[in-house]
Amino acid sequence: MMLIEEATVPDVALPVAEFKAHLRLGTGFGEDSLQDGVLRGFLRAAIAAIEARTGKILIVREFTWSLTGWRDRAGQVLPVAPVAGIESVTLIDEHEVETEMPGSQFRLEGDSQRPRLRPVGGLLPMVRIGGGVRIRFSAGYAEEWAGLPADLGQAVMLLAAHYYEYRNETALSDGCMPFGVSSLIQRYRSMRIGIGAGQ
């Protein structure tokens, strides 16, 4: 399985001015925008870390997910949430011949934790041995920063500030995430209970 992000978070969606205020950086100087590129980098890193930790996409963008077969033909769980829409489902045979499924044959079952691609009646079509399937979809909470849930927005600010303040630190342990960030994102993390819970 391979999940490809077709586009990065656009610069205009990054809250650089709000992040400057959060860091209490000085304003009104001729070089106010000097650090903007660096600040955007820390914001992108914080967004990526929170998305990886929660499996939730913050700013809406397009994704392509390729897999070699369905885990369950009655409904395939998608790899991230929330999914805004499924653009296409393409079957690929062992000779790499592609066949796009008509939109009338599938639907999105929305869910804040585990959205699914469902067939409209019956089962999802068989994926041939040596072939695969490619799903194009859009996912994310909001098109713009202001539309994000407040706790996720705050978590990004705290984590980006942590990266900024400790940008020269090399002694932090792998996967280190400040407690305040962990508590803010806790309710967005997927719960996995029992055998096969991730299916």
Side-chain angles (χ1 to χ4, degrees):
M1 291 188 238
M2 182 183 304
L3 180 66
I4 298 171
E5 184 178 332
E6 295 293 345
T8 60
V9 177
D11 285 351
V12 294
L14 295 172
V16 174
E18 293 92 331
F19 189 36
K20 285 180 181 178
H22 181 82
L23 294 173
R24 298 180 182 171
L25 297 180
T27 59
F29 303 100
E31 299 177 340
D32 275 359
S33 62
L34 190 62
Q35 287 197 75
D36 284 6
V38 173
L39 299 179
R40 280 194 292 270
F42 287 125
L43 285 167
R44 286 184 190 283
I47 288 170
I50 288 170
E51 288 181 343
R53 190 66 64 98
T54 62
K56 307 299 181 295
I57 303 302
L58 305 189
I59 301 297
V60 173
R61 49 203 192 276
E62 305 295 320
F63 293 86
T64 299
W65 190 37
S66 300
L67 54 163
T68 57
W70 309 114
R71 208 171 255 199
D72 181 355
R73 288 182 61 206
Q76 175 64 54
V77 175
L78 297 168
V80 294
V83 174
I86 296 174
E87 295 170 17
S88 66
V89 178
T90 305
L91 297 170
I92 306 164
D93 71 13
E94 67 273 24
H95 304 295
E96 298 188 8
V97 175
E98 300 185 359
T99 305
E100 187 167 327
M101 282 180 63
S104 60
Q105 292 184 4
F106 62 86
R107 64 184 174 85
L108 171 64
E109 181 178 89
D111 187 279
S112 64
Q113 295 291 338
R114 300 169 67 219
R116 291 177 189 263
L117 172 72
R118 291 277 195 193
V120 175
L123 300 172
L124 292 167
M126 289 286 294
V127 177
R128 295 171 65 165
I129 295 171
V133 63
R134 184 176 61 239
I135 304 168
R136 295 186 189 276
F137 62 93
S138 58
Y141 280 104
E143 297 276 355
E144 299 179 355
W145 187 260
L148 274 182
D151 47 0
L152 286 176
Q154 183 64 16
V156 170
M157 289 292 182
L158 290 173
L159 186 56
H162 179 78
Y163 290 158
Y164 180 83
E165 295 297 334
Y166 294 95
R167 59 192 176 278
N168 297 318
E169 179 62 68
T170 59
L172 293 174
S173 62
D174 290 341
C176 177
M177 190 165 280
F179 171 75
V181 176
S182 297
S183 62
L184 284 168
I185 67 173
Q186 184 60 38
R187 75 185 185 102
Y188 294 95
R189 297 185 71 179
S190 296
M191 291 184 64
R192 299 182 186 276
I193 302 171
I195 297 171
Q199 294 183 358

